[in-house]
């Protein structure tokens, strides 16, 4: 049986039989990447460099094929990659490693006892103590400057006054579960389902263990990593504590809480999100991130600095047309390190306090295994040495280190060499082309099948990213590589509306989505066809979330594609805005107002308005527990296609929310079903 027939069998007969997978020793040299290999993928995350830059702690993530789970252990390495070894082992999840200021203690979270708890390990002798026995999961750990306390976040039940008091049931009676009473705007969230009546609050815990002390209270939640003041008397955090927070969910501020008195003081006050506070080395200034919210669909996140009392805020990066993320002060307090996305590549840079920016490293990323989205992590030591997650199209995140003084970068790990040493991946090349709409330059990437022959003709898959305010780039993607391994050339691009090209480019789809992004995508297909190796009779299209929107929009505009797979889409903006998990956000930032006040605008942008034009065989694929683009959106489109006698199918991914790739088997199933559908209709 050849590879494509194998995919057809899997996709059409729904036969995902793990036991038939070959062992590595039986595989021929240079064999191609297979769906079952998803379980073998590993990646590095959360690199934590020591204060002197000599060592790096990091998390090594792997998958458990027997439980369909994601697992992780903590490793340590010298800065140059020598003496690299695991600190924890096992099939539990160990994560969030945080080295103490004294460098001899490691704080981390582990599920080895069942629920996530905090553990403290002495690195010099390997002794370990379980610090907590919490009923809720701790997160966002932060050491105090003297190493005696730990700040962290944890959800706390919030008791509101009940509307009614139901009569007690008789002893032994079996009644139905009591009704759920909901009076919150946001009562469900993708990945969490219906939200419990809980709020994430700030706590401190002695390094000796004991009972955590709660510092914040009420019907508001704390966001991000707590930031200690230099004297350890107070902690900075971000939160939206405004009375209108339900209707203005992005309007957060930076606050300071005194640990002894519990007095909370707001340090920022403008309308817009303010977050990620970082104290300068001398304790006199605070760097933070935010923007003035004017309700554009895409708004650039800037770097600000203010006095430690919140006075004299200054925008440092307002002349820099890219989003600033993950800020850290330099040792002398004259510069701030950060990461940003530029033309599909994530970089580490440093800015002085006047906004002069110097790049230090590129190719940061690799945490999104399924598709080549942005995202990466780094930390920096006071001496300018840094550690980061490194990725290119041929590997997920590995550990790399660099030095801001020399700008030299060194990749330390190759955690997938055991797999890729005998798996031939598709080569990826960058492409720039002009949009037919306005001649604007659009960036994309082409992934070719392994053993590509330019004299042959290959079927093409156009794969479209979601967001829509997000970006693809020159990063690893399991989905793209599996499509290429099945014999397809894959095109993925950043059409207008994508991030990493600045404010103007991102807002070309403001209140105008989908629109000319269609032209950008079709122009990309035409540009690849001109290269001479594409079979024009076998063009396929797919995308997820915002990519699902554009896929359904495309088949409503043209019938040049042989088949389409619309993954987790929005089909009807009217129903989506009122049914998805962020109603107070979507109508305000993506549309000119509420749906009943702008019905024509909503319908004009809804793919359901074009369903009468669709002739392309179109599969719908959505997670059963998706609260971001709910299953009802896919069901509407499926029913409409059925009524119009268009060949269609509905694939309901079990145990999945919006993030289908969260479970390895679901990511595998997604790819297999997409390829099965394309193979059915390939000419």
């Amino acid at each position: 049986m050849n590879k494509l027939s194998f995919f057809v069998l899997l996709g059409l007969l729904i036969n995902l039989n793990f036991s038939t997978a070959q062992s590595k020793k039986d595989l021929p040299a240079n064999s191609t990447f297979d769906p079952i290999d998803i379980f073998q993928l590993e990646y590095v995350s959360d690199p934590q460099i020591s204060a002197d830059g000599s060592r790096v702690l990091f998390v090594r993530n792997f998958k458990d094929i027997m439980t369909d789970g994601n697992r992780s252990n903590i490793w340590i390495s010298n800065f140059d990659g020598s003496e690299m070894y695991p600190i924890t082992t096992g099939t539990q999840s160990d994560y969030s490693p945080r080295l103490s200021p004294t460098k001899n203690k490691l704080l981390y979270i582990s599920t080895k006892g069942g629920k996530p708890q905090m553990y403290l390990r002495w690195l010099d002798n390997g002794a370990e103590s379980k610090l907590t026995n919490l009923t809720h999961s701790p997160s966002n750990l932060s050491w105090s400057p003297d190493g005696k306390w730990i700040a962290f976040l944890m959800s706390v039940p919030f008791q509101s006054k009940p509307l009614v008091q139901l009569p007690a049931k008789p002893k032994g009676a079996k009644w139905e579960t009591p009704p759920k009473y909901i009076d919150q705007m946001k009562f469900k969230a993708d990945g969490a389902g219906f939200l419990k009546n809980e709020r994430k609050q700030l706590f401190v815990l002695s390094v000796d263990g004991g009972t955590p002390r709660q510092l914040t209270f009420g019907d508001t939640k704390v966001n991000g990593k707590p930031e200690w003041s230099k004297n350890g008397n107070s902690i900075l955090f971000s939160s939206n504590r405004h009375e209108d927070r339900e209707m203005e969910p992005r309007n957060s501020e930076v606050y300071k809480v005194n640990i002894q008195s519990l007095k909370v003081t707001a340090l920022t006050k403008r309308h817009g999100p303010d977050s990620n506070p970082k104290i300068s080395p001398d304790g006199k200034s605070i760097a933070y991130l935010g923007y003035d919210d004017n309700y554009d669909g895409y708004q650039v996140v800037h770097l600000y600095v203010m006095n430690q009392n919140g006075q004299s805020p200054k925008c440092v990066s307002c002349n820099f047309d890219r989003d600033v993320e993950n800020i850290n002060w330099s040792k002398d307090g004259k510069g701030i390190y950060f990461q940003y996305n530029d033309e599909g590549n994530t970089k580490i840079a440093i800015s002085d306090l006047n906004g002069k920016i110097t790049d230090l490293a590129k190719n940061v990323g690799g945490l999104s295994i399924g598709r080549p989205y942005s995202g990466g992590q780094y930390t920096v030591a006071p001496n300018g040495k840094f550690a980061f997650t490194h990725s290119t199209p041929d590997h997920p995140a590995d550990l790399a280190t660099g030095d801001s003084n020399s700008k030299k970068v060194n990749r330390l790990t190759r955690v997938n060499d055991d797999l890729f040493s005998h798996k031939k991946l598709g080569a990826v090349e960058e492409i720039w082309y002009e949009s037919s709409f306005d001649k604007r330059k659009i960036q994309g990437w082409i992934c070719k099948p392994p053993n590509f022959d330019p004299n042959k003709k290959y079927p093409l898959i156009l794969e479209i990213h979601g967001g829509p305010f997000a970006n693809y780039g020159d990063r690893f993607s399991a989905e793209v590589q599996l499509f290429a391994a099945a014999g397809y050339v894959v095109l993925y691009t950043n059409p207008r509306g994508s991030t990493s090209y600045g404010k103007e480019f991102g807002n070309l789809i403001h209140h105008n989505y989908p629109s000319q992004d269609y032209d950008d995508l079709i122009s990309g297909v035409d540009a690849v066809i001109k290269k001479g190796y594409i079979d024009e009779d076998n063009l396929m299209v797919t995308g997820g979330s915002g990519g699902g929107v554009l896929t359904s929009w495309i088949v409503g505009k043209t019938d040049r594609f042989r088949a389409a797979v619309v993954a987790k889409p929005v089909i009807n903006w009217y129903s989506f805005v009122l049914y998805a998990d962020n109603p107070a956000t979507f109508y305000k930032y993506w549309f000119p107002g509420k749906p009943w006040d702008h019905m024509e605008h909503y319908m004009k942008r809804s793919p359901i308005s074009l369903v009468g034009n669709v002739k392309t065989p179109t599969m719908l694929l959505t997670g059963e527990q998706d609260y971001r683009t709910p299953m009802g959106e896919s069901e509407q489109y499926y029913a409409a296609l059925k009524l119009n006698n268009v060949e269609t199918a509905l694939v309901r991914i079990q145990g999945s929310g919006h993030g289908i790739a969260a479970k390895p088997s679901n990511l595998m199933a997604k790819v297999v079903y997409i390829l099965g559908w394309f193979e059915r209709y390939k000419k």
Side-chain angles (χ1 to χ4, degrees):
M1 181 185 297
N2 63 35
K3 181 180 293 293
L4 296 183
S5 297
F6 175 67
F7 280 125
V8 174
L9 180 62
L10 284 174
L12 301 185
L13 300 184
I14 321 174
N15 180 19
L16 304 178
N17 189 345
F18 299 158
S19 65
T20 61
Q22 293 175 292
S23 67
K24 291 182 180 180
K25 65 181 181 180
D26 297 326
L27 288 166
N30 290 328
S31 63
T32 54
F33 192 46
D34 289 312
I36 195 67
D37 293 329
I38 287 172
F39 280 98
Q40 304 303 320
L41 290 175
E42 298 185 51
Y43 69 95
V44 167
S45 66
D46 204 1
Q48 297 289 315
I49 195 165
S50 62
D52 60 3
S54 63
R55 294 193 293 180
V56 182
L57 290 157
F58 63 96
V59 177
R60 184 163 175 169
N61 301 269
F62 59 97
K63 303 180 188 306
D64 184 354
I65 195 170
M66 300 307 295
T67 62
D68 196 15
N70 297 290
R71 304 290 182 259
S72 57
N73 295 141
I74 297 170
W75 286 57
I76 194 169
S77 169
N78 286 340
F79 180 81
D80 61 2
S82 62
E83 295 188 41
M84 184 181 296
Y85 57 88
I87 292 179
T88 67
T89 60
T91 56
Q92 71 278 356
S93 293
D94 305 319
Y95 56 98
S96 296
R98 298 295 181 264
L99 196 61
S100 68
T102 56
K103 297 187 298 183
N104 67 328
K105 298 185 184 74
L106 168 65
L107 175 70
Y108 70 99
I109 300 174
S110 177
T111 62
K112 57 188 172 184
K115 293 181 179 180
Q117 302 292 342
M118 279 189 272
Y119 291 80
L120 187 65
R121 178 181 289 248
W122 283 257
L123 294 177
D124 51 0
N125 59 22
E128 184 171 273
S129 170
K130 181 182 178 183
L131 291 183
T132 62
N133 188 24
L134 305 170
T135 56
H136 291 73
S137 300
S139 64
N140 303 74
L141 311 182
S142 178
W143 283 95
S144 65
D146 60 7
K148 296 180 179 180
W149 296 88
I150 301 157
F152 65 97
L153 303 186
M154 184 174 66
S155 293
V156 175
F158 177 78
Q159 298 297 331
S160 56
K161 184 178 179 180
L163 178 68
V164 299
Q165 185 67 44
L166 292 174
K169 65 180 179 180
K171 184 178 180 179
K174 295 182 179 180
W175 289 8
E176 186 53 87
T177 303
K180 289 182 185 236
Y181 177 72
I182 297 170
D183 61 0
Q184 300 289 319
M185 170 71 77
K186 185 177 176 67
F187 60 90
K188 58 185 177 181
D190 188 71
F194 281 82
L195 299 175
K196 297 179 181 178
N197 198 14
E198 299 174 341
R199 308 291 183 269
K200 193 161 284 190
Q201 302 293 353
L202 175 62
F203 290 79
V204 290
L205 174 71
S206 169
V207 73
D208 296 324
T211 302
R213 182 185 177 210
Q214 186 173 342
L215 302 184
T216 60
F217 302 84
D219 190 18
T220 58
K221 65 178 181 178
V222 174
N223 303 312
K225 180 183 176 183
E227 175 77 357
W228 289 84
S229 63
K230 291 304 172 183
N231 59 16
N233 292 335
S234 59
I235 298 176
L236 303 183
F237 63 93
S238 175
S239 180
N240 185 345
R241 301 166 74 90
H242 298 287
E243 291 295 328
D244 62 351
R245 56 186 171 272
E246 274 202 332
M247 296 304 296
E248 296 288 346
R250 295 187 180 182
N251 190 24
S252 62
E253 309 292 353
V254 173
Y255 293 90
K256 176 175 67 175
V257 59
N258 184 284
I259 294 178
Q260 297 304 318
S261 68
L262 303 186
K263 180 183 177 182
V264 175
T265 305
L267 300 180
T268 60
K269 57 183 178 181
R270 55 98 174 265
H271 180 71
D274 292 317
S275 63
N276 302 90
K278 289 294 177 72
I279 298 281
S280 63
D282 62 7
K284 296 180 180 180
S285 300
I286 300 171
Y288 62 103
L289 301 178
Y291 56 81
D292 294 303
D293 193 354
N294 57 12
Y295 304 118
D296 284 345
Y298 170 58
Q299 298 173 85
V300 175
V301 177
H302 290 301
L303 167 65
Y304 292 81
V305 173
M306 62 183 172
N307 295 340
Q308 56 86 24
N309 60 1
Q311 299 300 309
S312 304
K314 172 188 174 182
C315 184
V316 175
S317 70
C318 279
N319 292 324
F320 183 60
D321 195 20
R322 296 293 186 270
D323 292 305
V324 175
E325 304 175 72
N326 192 3
I327 54 176
N328 293 279
W329 285 91
S330 63
K331 182 179 181 180
D332 59 10
K334 295 181 179 180
I336 299 172
Y337 297 92
F338 65 96
Q339 69 185 60
Y340 73 98
N341 295 311
D342 181 50
E343 296 183 349
N345 192 279
T346 306
K347 302 177 180 180
I348 300 171
I350 187 170
S351 172
D352 66 20
L353 299 186
N354 293 316
K356 182 181 178 181
I357 294 170
T358 303
D359 286 346
L360 302 176
K362 61 180 182 179
N363 296 327
V364 182
L367 305 184
S368 176
I369 294 294
R371 296 191 279 166
Y373 281 117
S374 62
Q377 298 166 321
Y378 85 96
T379 53
V380 61
N383 60 10
K385 292 183 177 181
F386 56 89
F388 65 101
T389 59
H390 178 278
S391 178
T392 55
D394 62 352
H395 69 90
D398 271 303
L399 177 66
T401 56
D403 191 331
S404 59
N405 299 306
S406 65
K407 298 185 182 179
K408 182 180 179 181
V409 169
N410 184 27
R411 179 181 169 190
L412 303 188
T413 65
R414 297 177 183 271
V415 297
N416 288 290
D417 268 10
D418 58 335
L419 176 65
F420 293 157
S421 62
H422 60 270
K423 293 285 183 177
K424 192 168 185 181
L425 298 177
V428 176
E429 68 178 59
E430 184 183 55
I431 180 175
W432 285 86
Y433 59 91
E434 289 186 348
S435 171
S436 62
F437 176 71
D438 56 6
K439 305 302 179 184
R440 188 179 296 269
K441 291 289 186 180
I442 305 297
Q443 185 183 23
W445 291 265
I446 303 168
C447 183
K448 300 172 182 176
N451 305 312
F452 174 77
D453 183 347
N455 297 312
K456 292 182 179 181
K457 296 285 188 179
Y458 293 87
L460 173 73
I461 294 177
L462 171 63
E463 210 286 332
I464 309 169
H465 77 63
F469 303 110
N471 68 82
Y472 275 168
D474 44 3
R475 313 168 184 107
F476 179 80
S477 166
E479 293 185 36
V480 168
Q481 288 294 340
L482 288 170
F483 294 155
Y488 290 84
V489 170
V490 185
L491 170 66
Y492 53 100
T493 77
N494 282 335
R496 65 192 64 209
S498 301
T499 57
S500 78
Y501 303 91
K503 180 179 179 179
E504 188 263 347
F505 189 85
N507 277 312
L508 289 172
I509 62 169
H510 177 59
H511 296 176
N512 190 36
Y513 167 70
S515 58
Q516 290 77 42
D517 35 6
Y518 165 85
D519 302 282
D520 299 347
L521 293 164
I522 298 300
S523 297
V525 172
D526 292 335
V528 179
I529 288 174
K530 287 181 181 178
K531 293 181 176 290
Y533 50 74
I534 298 299
D535 179 359
E536 294 187 55
D537 289 330
N538 281 308
L539 306 179
M540 313 294 177
V541 59
T542 187
S545 193
V549 174
L550 283 165
T551 301
S552 56
W553 190 260
I554 284 172
V555 296
K557 290 276 191 178
T558 179
D559 60 1
R560 68 185 296 190
F561 292 90
R562 294 288 301 176
V565 177
V566 176
K568 48 187 180 181
V570 176
I571 298 302
N572 184 335
W573 288 115
Y574 199 120
S575 59
F576 165 78
V577 163
L578 300 177
Y579 190 46
D581 59 353
N582 288 303
T585 296
F586 296 127
Y587 90 90
K588 186 178 302 180
Y589 292 92
W590 292 9
F591 291 92
K594 299 181 178 72
W596 47 89
D597 294 329
H598 302 274
M599 185 179 297
E600 183 178 352
H601 183 101
Y602 275 73
M603 192 52 61
K604 183 179 179 181
R605 300 295 170 206
S606 295
I608 197 70
S609 68
L610 301 177
V611 72
N613 302 333
V614 178
K615 302 292 188 295
T616 306
T618 301
M619 173 188 281
L620 283 299
L621 186 151
T622 301
E624 195 73 70
Q625 286 86 44
D626 193 327
Y627 287 94
R628 182 61 43 80
T629 55
M631 181 64 75
E633 293 293 312
S634 295
E635 290 176 346
Q636 288 182 64
Y637 203 57
Y638 175 73
L641 293 173
K642 279 289 190 181
L643 290 173
N644 285 344
N645 294 315
V646 177
E647 293 178 84
T648 186
L650 176 61
V651 179
R652 308 174 75 107
I653 303 294
Q654 300 303 299
S656 173
H658 198 62
I660 292 175
K663 285 189 177 180
S665 68
N666 279 338
L667 174 57
M668 180 179 64
K670 175 188 176 185
V671 172
V672 167
Y673 272 100
I674 290 173
L675 287 170
W677 187 257
F678 289 164
E679 286 299 305
R680 170 183 281 184
Y681 294 101
K682 191 168 72 172
K683 187 173 180 181

